[in-house]
Amino acid sequence: MRIEFRNLKRSFDGRTVLDGIDFDDEVTTLAVIGPSGGGKSTLLRILGGLLPATSGEVLVDGEPIPHDEASLARYRATLGFVFQDGGLFHHLSAHDNVALPLRVVHGVDDGDADARADELLQRFGLEGEGDKRPAQLSGGQRQRVAIARAVAARPRMLLLDEPTSALDPEYTTDVLDLLRDLKDEGTHFVVVTHEMGFARHACDKVAFLCGGKLLEHGDSAQVFAHPQTPELQRFLSRLLEWSV
């Protein structure tokens, strides 16, 4: 999948969050890294059609992201989204959180939607948890339900915004293992993450945002082994300072 950003800019109340982002690359798995406030989540939301750019253009496989609401809805329906808190419906069971969007958004009949939900919950280690509501699940289980919901309709691309930020280390590992398995099965995704080990070893490409600018991007192994800018060198050294 080819993703292009052409002089992409986004401001909020006169404050520039993205300042002329240019990017053009084939993406299978892309990690977006950088310090807090650098524009990572904003970039992801623009890519997902959830937020308009102030100026510039975004293309996916050569097609610009549409601007009218009807076309945007069709575009969003081709993607899967996972946010920091999972974004689950708290009044629904885990099973219905997966099955309901299949029925309502994608027009899947009840029997097929239920079967797909059961299949994914079992596959993601949630067999027997389908009747529980999100409040009855652990943080790691909630994120796995959120990922199951995101992949249920077999989207062209997953967009994940710090999916492990609120999790304990044990649950973080569970979720990252699941994403690695999805990658091995051919799922394409773009993930905003502070998990540098995952970004380096499980994602083919990495993009470093800092201060609203895209300072580096390329093959993960190369970028991590040989950071070119002082900003990325400093960012990585600070993360490694307290590593075990």
Side-chain angles (χ1 to χ4, degrees), residues 165-186:
S165 65
L167 300 182
D168 292 336
E170 179 184 0
Y171 299 141
T172 293
T173 299
D174 288 344
V175 171
L176 295 179
D177 285 346
L178 174 56
L179 293 177
R180 181 192 57 205
D181 291 344
L182 289 172
K183 176 202 171 181
D184 291 344
E185 294 168 7

Side-chain angles (χ1 to χ4, degrees), residues 95 98 102 112-127 148 151-152 154 185:
H95 175 278
V98 179
L102 288 174
D112 288 342
D114 288 336
R116 178 66 170 157
D118 289 339
E119 171 200 341
L120 288 170
L121 292 176
Q122 180 176 2
R123 176 183 166 197
F124 292 172
L126 295 163
E127 188 174 10
V151 303
R154 298 177 176 86
E185 294 168 7

Side-chain angles (χ1 to χ4, degrees), residues 23-100:
F23 177 95
D24 183 358
D25 207 345
E26 276 303 317
V27 170
T28 52
T29 51
L30 171 68
V32 183
I33 65 170
S36 297
K40 303 183 299 297
S41 294
T42 299
L43 184 70
L44 196 73
R45 289 174 180 272
I46 292 173
L47 177 60
L50 301 173
L51 185 70
T54 301
S55 62
E57 196 171 25
V58 181
L59 297 91
V60 178
D61 286 335
E63 294 291 328
I65 292 179
H67 298 290
D68 66 283
E69 191 53 43
S71 298
L72 267 176
R74 289 192 292 271
Y75 170 72
R76 293 186 198 113
T78 69
L79 309 174
F81 298 91
V82 180
F83 301 105
Q84 293 182 34
D85 63 354
L88 299 177
F89 297 111
H90 296 292
H91 65 291
L92 296 180
S93 68
H95 175 278
D96 287 343
N97 263 284
V98 179
L100 184 64

